[in-house]
Amino acid sequence: ARQQGLKAEWYRGGAPDLQRAVTEGAPLIVMVDQGFAGLSRPHFMVAIGYRPEGVVVNSGLSRGRTIGWEEFLRQWCKTDYWTLEVRPKQ
């Protein structure tokens, strides 16, 4: 992203941060852990929206899928809320 002249910032996010960024038109790249029983299965998603019932994500071939807040936050928590925000430089 930086080589393309964009601003890229990696940080520990959270639900309020996700809502702020998406509202401002900046979808976030997040890493979640979809593993279970001690097995890690990291997975990247792009958070493109949110609703009272959950977070709207693009993930692999799935577009516009809503994941319930509880499930999303549980999976995101396992990666310490890994977040990448990419925006145009101002």
Side-chain angles (χ1 to χ4, degrees):
R2 289 181 180 141
Q3 291 177 346
Q4 299 299 315
L6 300 170
K7 177 183 172 192
E9 180 183 4
W10 168 80
Y11 57 93
R12 183 180 190 269
D17 180 65
L18 182 146
Q19 292 170 330
R20 174 203 50 82
V22 170
T23 297
E24 292 174 358
L28 295 179
I29 300 168
V30 297
M31 181 171 44
V32 298
D33 186 343
Q34 297 178 329
F36 63 95
L39 298 174
S40 180
R41 188 173 148 227
H43 182 72
F44 290 100
M45 299 178 171
V46 180
I48 61 168
Y50 62 92
R51 301 179 178 136
E53 62 270 15
V55 180
V56 183
V57 299
N58 289 341
S59 172
L61 299 177
S62 175
R63 302 280 184 250
R65 178 176 158 227
T66 300
I67 301 174
W69 279 106
E70 185 177 331
E71 177 184 356
F72 178 81
L73 292 172
R74 181 175 35 78
Q75 292 179 1
W76 196 22
C77 174
K78 291 195 251 179
T79 68
D80 200 26
Y81 302 98
W82 190 101
T83 305
L84 177 65
E85 185 171 348
V86 179
R87 291 184 180 238
K89 284 188 178 177
Q90 295 181 5

